[in-house]
Amino acid sequence: MEHDAAVSVNNLNFIYPRGQRPVLRGLSFKIEQGEVFGLLGPNGSGKTTLFRLITTLLRPSRGEISVFGIEAADCPACVRAKIGVVFQYPALDKKLTVMENMKAQGHLYGISGRVLAKRIDSLLDIFNLKERGREMAENLSGGLRRRLEIAKGLLHRPRLLVMDEPSTGLDPAARLDMWRYLRELVKEFRTTVVLTTHLMEEAEQCGRLAILSEGSLVALGRPEDLRSHVGGDVIRVKGLNLGDLRVKIQNQFGNNVRLVDDNLIIERRQAHELISQLAQAFPDQIESVTLAKPTLEDVFMHFTGRSFQRRDPNGA
Ligand code: ADP
């Protein structure tokens, strides 16, 4: 048991009952125990669907998901007993106090009496909510509410915490705060944390990432390793007649140049040399050239040829 992956996804495919096309296509990967694992992808890439499958709210159309060695389709209830779930939209009872929310959650899982009181006490302590026990959930700030939701999700001592877009609606300070608590959780209890996100800063905090695009897994690994796939620095060129300029740069300098949205993108080592050469070669066509270390957005572009924040082609 100890050696089972926290989550194992094998050739997973999913199509919604009235859907036109598969939303997840042939996903295979493992999440090891104690990892903080991010599912990163643009809107519509299938993250929430995967979250619903891992949390047994949906069943795979084809392929398998197992959680700590238990196949989700065989025993959804067994899987649910092992996981804590934090939904994208707050699932607190706003008219109840912090304490009452925790108690209600405990009763839902059949925990009561002294055991429940002790667990609530220790979780409110860990999440720094003890002083707020009597406050109504509706009076808490977004950050405190999210903390309370995570605390709720941990009440039955799950070994795996699965969260859908946990930073949604949080300001930057509250995000940092949430991450501090998550790290503490992993360190203290070796809880495995899986979260979906479309935010690069959040993805950077994860130990490993699975990057999704249109339902397929396009990359898997630690953020720094993923960045190293990008060939050196990233040059972005803005200018006139980019299609034509792209071909000219390729012919003259032999680099692979991509046209993504309104930019030409060139990945290159020792890129600063090329910048001055470009400016000299095409002074009339180039409006600006910038150079940067690769980000996770560049990683996405590298693997898919598309920008992460794809613009609406109709300009809406
Ligand atoms: P993400 O969380 O990455 O934004 P989703 O998993 O929500 O992606 O959606 C992936 C795709 O599945 C989208 O094209 C979306 O329109 C479609 N989809 C989501 N929910 C349903 C549903 N209940 N029925 C049919 N299609 C759906």
Side-chain angles (χ1 to χ4, degrees):
M1 188 76 176
E2 192 52 33
H3 300 293
D4 284 322
V7 180
S8 177
V9 174
N10 183 26
N11 191 27
L12 179 69
N13 290 271
F14 186 78
I15 179 160
Y16 280 99
R18 276 185 291 281
Q20 304 291 316
R21 54 193 176 81
V23 167
L24 297 176
R25 304 153 193 259
L27 301 187
S28 294
F29 60 90
K30 280 189 164 66
I31 303 172
E32 300 300 339
Q33 296 187 23
E35 278 200 276
V36 177
F37 191 94
L39 303 167
L40 171 69
N43 285 334
S45 56
K47 303 180 298 294
T48 296
T49 304
L50 184 52
F51 164 88
R52 291 184 188 137
L53 283 154
I54 294 174
T55 54
T56 75
L57 298 172
L58 294 174
R59 290 172 78 112
S61 306
R62 201 148 43 86
E64 302 94 40
I65 293 190
S66 50
V67 176
F68 298 112
I70 302 165
E71 199 175 317
D74 286 350
C75 186
C78 311
V79 168
R80 282 182 206 184
K82 294 197 180 297
I83 62 178
V85 182
V86 178
F87 293 95
Q88 192 167 339
Y89 298 103
L92 295 175
D93 199 324
K94 287 192 213 156
K95 295 287 174 201
L96 296 184
T97 65
V98 167
M99 197 60 147
E100 288 163 346
N101 264 288
M102 292 294 278
K103 278 189 182 156
Q105 176 81 358
H107 295 151
L108 209 60
Y109 278 90
I111 314 164
S112 58
R114 294 238 314 263
V115 175
L116 179 59
K118 261 178 107 169
R119 285 196 193 175
I120 293 177
D121 190 62
S122 99
L123 281 166
L124 293 188
D125 198 24
I126 292 172
F127 286 89
N128 221 347
L129 284 166
K130 236 174 172 172
E131 322 251 284
R132 311 281 184 148
R134 287 182 193 175
E135 257 177 69
M136 295 274 244
E138 66 183 356
N139 294 335
L140 300 177
S141 68
L144 287 178
R145 274 190 214 173
R146 193 47 51 95
R147 270 200 233 156
L148 175 56
E149 284 187 64
I150 299 174
K152 252 181 75 177
L154 292 170
L155 203 52
H156 60 296
R157 302 223 163 130
R159 295 165 63 199
L160 171 65
L161 182 67
V162 193
M163 302 191 283
D164 195 14
E165 303 271 356
S167 283
T168 300
L170 298 190
D171 60 40
R175 269 181 206 165
L176 283 178
D177 190 53
M178 182 192 82
W179 273 96
R180 205 155 40 87
Y181 289 104
L182 285 182
R183 282 207 197 86
E184 213 163 294
L185 200 67
V186 173
K187 207 167 109 200
E188 194 119 322
F189 303 106
R190 208 163 168 254
T191 310
T192 308
V193 177
V194 178
L195 57 104
T196 69
T197 187
H198 66 280
L199 302 170
M200 299 297 165
E201 318 87 80
E202 184 146 271
E204 290 283 356
Q205 308 283 333
C206 297
R208 277 199 313 146
L209 294 170
I211 302 186
L212 296 179
S213 172
E214 298 183 343
S216 297
L217 180 68
V218 292
L220 179 72
R222 299 189 306 163
E224 57 270 39
D225 293 340
L226 292 172
R227 272 195 298 272
S228 71
H229 281 278
V230 179
D233 298 329
V234 178
I235 301 176
R236 278 190 168 69
V237 178
K238 283 192 187 292
L240 305 171
N241 205 350
L242 289 177
D244 167 67
L245 185 58
R246 174 177 166 270
V247 177
K248 284 189 191 159
I249 296 175
Q250 265 185 190
N251 289 344
Q252 190 158 335
F253 296 99
N255 281 99
N256 181 24
V257 184
R258 292 183 191 190
L259 176 56
V260 183
D261 292 343
D262 287 341
N263 296 286
L264 293 181
I265 309 282
I266 308 166
E267 297 172 9
R268 164 134 172 172
R269 295 185 205 287
Q270 263 107 47
H272 45 279
E273 289 166 12
L274 182 63
I275 288 189
S276 55
Q277 290 168 345
L278 286 174
Q280 276 174 17
F282 310 106
D284 301 330
Q285 246 179 303
I286 291 180
E287 287 171 354
S288 73
V289 185
T290 55
L291 170 68
K293 295 275 168 223
T295 62
L296 287 173
E297 292 201 52
D298 296 319
V299 171
F300 185 83
M301 210 179 292
H302 174 85
F303 283 108
T304 64
R306 288 190 297 273
S307 72
F308 193 87
Q309 314 283 355
R310 200 151 10 136
R311 294 188 334 186
D312 188 327
N314 302 317

